[in-house]
Amino acid sequence: MNAPDLTVVLPTFNERDNIAILVERLSTALAGIAWEAIFVDDDSPDGTAGVVRALARRDTRVRCLQRVGRRGLSSACIEGILASSAPYVAVMDADLQHDEGLLPRMFATLRDEPYDLVVGSRYIAGGGVGEWDVGRQRASAAATWLSRLITKTEIADPMSGFFMLRREVFEDSLPQLSAQGFKILLDILASAKTPPRMKELPYEFRLRQYGESKLDALVVWEFAMLLADKLIGHIVPVRFALFAFIGGFGVFIHMAVLWIGLKSVALSFTTSQTIATIAAMTANFFLNNFFTYADKRLKGWRALRGLVSFYVICSLGAVANIGIASYLFQEQERWWIAGIAGIIVGSVWNYAVSSVFTWKGR
Ligand code: GDD
Ligand code: MN
């Protein structure tokens, strides 16, 4: 059998009922092209991976890459592309919303014309989003506008999840990819060292028939994180910036609780300070769990265990903070240098250690 010229990477999460129809349609659309399909499944509870493997036993063009304990559309696409050796790679949703009929034209464009990347576009003449409600249309328009801040290329539909590229284009952007969230094309465009020669082809975004969309508040938040990473990520990691910002907010909580304890409840200083410290650590844990680690959010008893580990880590961080600060204060009398150095050492410790122990994923 010939090695494939084209790999279609298909991220899946709970798409069981769409797999067989999709492979059937690919088979028809791609007749005459040596292709393969790589499904990248994040251990879907509905058993999508098993359905793909059953199909793969009968059809060698189909493969399954199953990831356990992880989620993420972008990272799934990246790993799917990395698992392929074909010179041309397409990324496409596995829920039948993208028009597979466009694939042969995308392929011919890359093979015969001087382009590196072909994007299936909803926002040029001939394309469309079908029956989206006004809310989703507006949100998509706003996100498209924001995306232009970070791409070097003029593109009508930077949020498209449907595109085909030369493998070299992907490799060019690979070292810089954020790999976070939902927007893999945007990530590739923003990470490319040399702007790819790009062409958009129109298609009509179809309605979903089986299963449901995974686009939710988390996806919106991850989009914001991707933008921030591309804008400031080269200076400071976005996660650390958020962690530090929340840490600063924790200082306010601490002072407020301390003040209440001392002035309105009339507790002793030590008691008030202890309560304030616990309150600040608790608030910081939940804020970080919600925002900084939205993608690894701990729930139920895991959250409780995370909270306890966070207390322990922050206590050690405080010891390091005070130790370093006191040492520096002895060495040179400037109190603010000592204070800031202590804070930096303490927060870097808290961040680094909690990222490994508290929000380690599975
Ligand atoms: N492996 C994996 N892991 N796959 C995922 C995950 C995940 O965490 N989340 C979603 N998917 C898969 C879905 O199973 C589907 O095949 C595809 O990614 C798209 O997910 P949907 O939830 O159907 O997204 P959508 O239809 O709202 O939006 C899609 O189309 C837009 C227009 O092209 C996405 O591709 C958007 O990024 C895109 O803007
Ligand atoms: Mn979809």
Side-chain angles (χ1 to χ4, degrees), residues 93 95 97 205 208 213:
D93 291 354
D95 56 3
Q97 288 194 275
F205 194 66
R208 197 187 242 282
S213 171

Side-chain angles (χ1 to χ4, degrees), residues 9 76-85 89 91 165 167 170 188:
V9 172
C77 296
I78 291 168
E79 284 163 42
I81 299 174
L82 287 172
S84 125
S85 325
V89 184
V91 170
L165 42 61
R167 138 163 262 94
F170 171 73
I188 290 176

Side-chain angles (χ1 to χ4, degrees), residues 3 14 42 51 53 67 77 99 117 132 140 142 170 190 206 210 212 232 249 253 260 295 310 316 336 341 351 360:
N14 288 346
D42 286 349
V51 174
R53 275 193 293 266
R67 310 195 302 169
C77 296
D99 182 358
L117 169 68
W132 269 6
S140 187
F170 171 73
R206 297 187 196 127
Y210 308 101
E212 54 196 41
I232 63 156
F249 184 71
I253 296 187
I260 293 169
D295 53 338
F310 194 69
L316 293 173
W336 57 272
Y351 174 70
K360 59 177 178 293

Side-chain angles (χ1 to χ4, degrees), residues 184-198:
I184 176 65
L185 174 64
L186 182 59
D187 199 355
I188 290 176
L189 287 175
S191 308
K193 288 187 216 94
T194 31
R197 295 166 301 172
M198 193 216 35

Side-chain angles (χ1 to χ4, degrees), residues 285 298-312 357-358 360-362:
F285 171 80
L298 305 169
K299 296 182 184 123
W301 69 271
R302 282 174 186 281
L304 197 69
R305 202 177 60 180
L307 179 62
V308 172
S309 76
F310 194 69
Y311 285 152
V312 174
F357 287 103
T358 309
K360 59 177 178 293
R362 276 195 291 142

Side-chain angles (χ1 to χ4, degrees), residues 108-117 166 196-199:
T109 305
L110 286 184
R111 196 192 44 199
D112 306 333
E113 294 179 45
Y115 291 107
D116 303 311
L117 169 68
R166 285 176 203 282
R197 295 166 301 172
M198 193 216 35
K199 180 169 187 175

